[in-house]
Amino acid sequence: MRHASRRWRADGEEIGLVPTMGALHAGHLSLVDRARRENSKVVVSAFVNPIQFGSGADFARYPRDPDRDARLLLEAGVDAIYRPVAESMYPPGSSTRVRVGGVAEPLEGAARPGHFEGVATVVTKLFAAVAPDRAYFGQKDAQQVAVVRRLGLDLDLGAEIRVCPTVREPDGLALSSRNAHLDPRERQAAASLSAALRAAARQYATGERDQAALRERLLAPLEAEPLARIDYAELVDPETFQALGRLAVLAVWIGNTRLIDNHDLAETFPGQS
Ligand code: AMP
């Protein structure tokens, strides 16, 4: 990967990187499209990064379909698919980890110990291999975006971070590789996340600014759904991810599948009015 990247750079090409864990969907492909428009070469990495998963079970059952991914990415016109194997990313003796403080600590950081350390470490390694001019991330993982921005500034990684809007199903469910785990009843129940974000956005649009009232609106659709178990549902500052603020962030178990989503209440949610 580094050889290809160096050659391109010497030829004056600009490189866009889209980091993914594979099992691609239209959300990933929206990042690829944007990267194609803004760079002369596009690299998509597809690596299910073991060190960002908590339980071995979640890692083991994470969906994988490398042949389909390759077909989709070739159709999308990418220049390289970077698919390292875990044994080369983390060979025996590997012991360096990148830990981001501050913004990486609340919410996902608290709920999934070690998760952002795994993310920051793999992003650092991917940036070292690809040396992108620009790297593309989804708003779907809003706190991850903040962590990667902090990482890029603190370690002078050089790539510009660009953020793309969340791609959703017609009923509002954010596309996610983990949606493949949902059975039909759970898929219905998963719509409670977008219903919660929509309800809070609707309330905010009426002029409501009381945090407790907005949070009540956010919680109601989740509490009404018997298959949903709330991990967190908060209103936080969109920069720091500390309470209080207008970014609604959710992590909700639907059966054995943990889904996350978020929405800035100052923006209109699909199907809001
Ligand atoms: P993942 O493969 O889940 O690690 O995601 C790879 C990248 O795609 C991350 O930057 C995600 O935020 C982004 N992404 C995942 N789902 C969506 C979505 N529904 N809309 C936009 N971007 C997404």
Side-chain angles (χ1 to χ4, degrees):
M1 187 64 247
R2 186 176 294 123
H3 282 299
S5 165
R6 281 192 181 140
R7 218 170 36 240
W8 285 335
R9 190 162 297 282
D11 291 343
E13 310 279 11
E14 297 202 349
I15 304 171
L17 169 65
V18 182
T20 80
M21 297 201 296
L24 301 180
H25 51 64
H28 299 115
L29 296 177
S30 75
L31 273 59
V32 173
D33 281 348
R34 170 115 184 254
R36 277 237 60 92
R37 290 199 297 276
E38 298 176 352
N39 303 272
S40 56
K41 295 288 177 191
V42 171
V43 178
V44 176
S45 61
F47 178 59
V48 187
N49 178 33
I51 69 166
Q52 74 184 67
F53 285 80
S55 82
D58 187 29
F59 173 70
R61 77 180 199 126
Y62 195 82
R64 291 165 172 85
D65 196 343
D67 294 341
R68 178 173 173 276
D69 290 349
R71 219 170 35 243
L72 290 172
L73 292 175
L74 292 177
E75 274 168 25
V78 310
D79 299 281
I81 306 171
Y82 180 39
R83 212 156 58 184
V85 295
E87 294 71 29
S88 70
M89 288 297 256
Y90 305 110
S94 155
S95 56
T96 304
R97 295 291 183 266
V98 179
R99 194 184 60 78
V100 177
V103 75
E105 282 161 11
L107 303 171
E108 286 298 281
R112 302 179 68 190
H115 171 65
F116 281 133
E117 185 173 299
V119 169
T121 302
V122 81
V123 166
T124 305
K125 289 169 68 72
L126 294 171
F127 281 23
V130 178
D133 294 280
R134 299 175 193 86
Y136 295 82
F137 293 86
Q139 179 62 27
K140 154 89 172 20
D141 299 278
Q143 196 179 1
Q144 171 171 276
V145 169
V147 169
V148 169
R149 280 195 196 289
R150 189 71 255 166
L151 168 70
L153 288 171
D154 289 351
L155 295 189
D156 309 312
L157 297 184
E160 191 190 323
I161 307 302
R162 299 216 163 155
V163 184
C164 305
T166 302
V167 177
R168 299 178 178 282
E169 300 281 4
D171 69 349
L173 177 67
L175 298 192
S176 163
S177 304
R178 286 191 176 87
N179 293 350
H181 295 319
L182 303 171
D183 70 25
R185 177 67 192 92
E186 290 171 339
R187 169 60 188 84
Q188 263 183 354
S192 61
L193 279 85
S194 45
L197 297 174
R198 191 182 295 115
R202 207 175 260 147
Q203 182 80 347
Y204 189 92
T206 67
E208 180 66 80
R209 294 294 180 272
D210 180 72
Q211 292 273 314
L214 289 167
R215 183 153 185 273
E216 224 170 90
R217 278 303 167 109
L218 185 65
L219 287 173
L222 299 168
E223 287 173 342
E225 172 50 63
L227 293 191
R229 188 163 56 78
I230 300 169
D231 194 346
Y232 59 75
E234 304 289 343
L235 291 160
V236 298
D237 180 284
E239 306 284 315
T240 63
F241 288 81
Q242 300 288 339
L244 313 157
R246 52 158 222 266
L247 183 72
V249 287
L250 301 179
V252 178
W253 289 93
I254 304 289
N256 292 323
T257 304
R258 185 175 180 275
L259 301 177
I260 62 169
D261 201 351
N262 69 87
H263 181 69
D264 183 333
L265 297 186
E267 291 167 16
T268 308
F269 194 88
Q272 181 178 315
S273 44

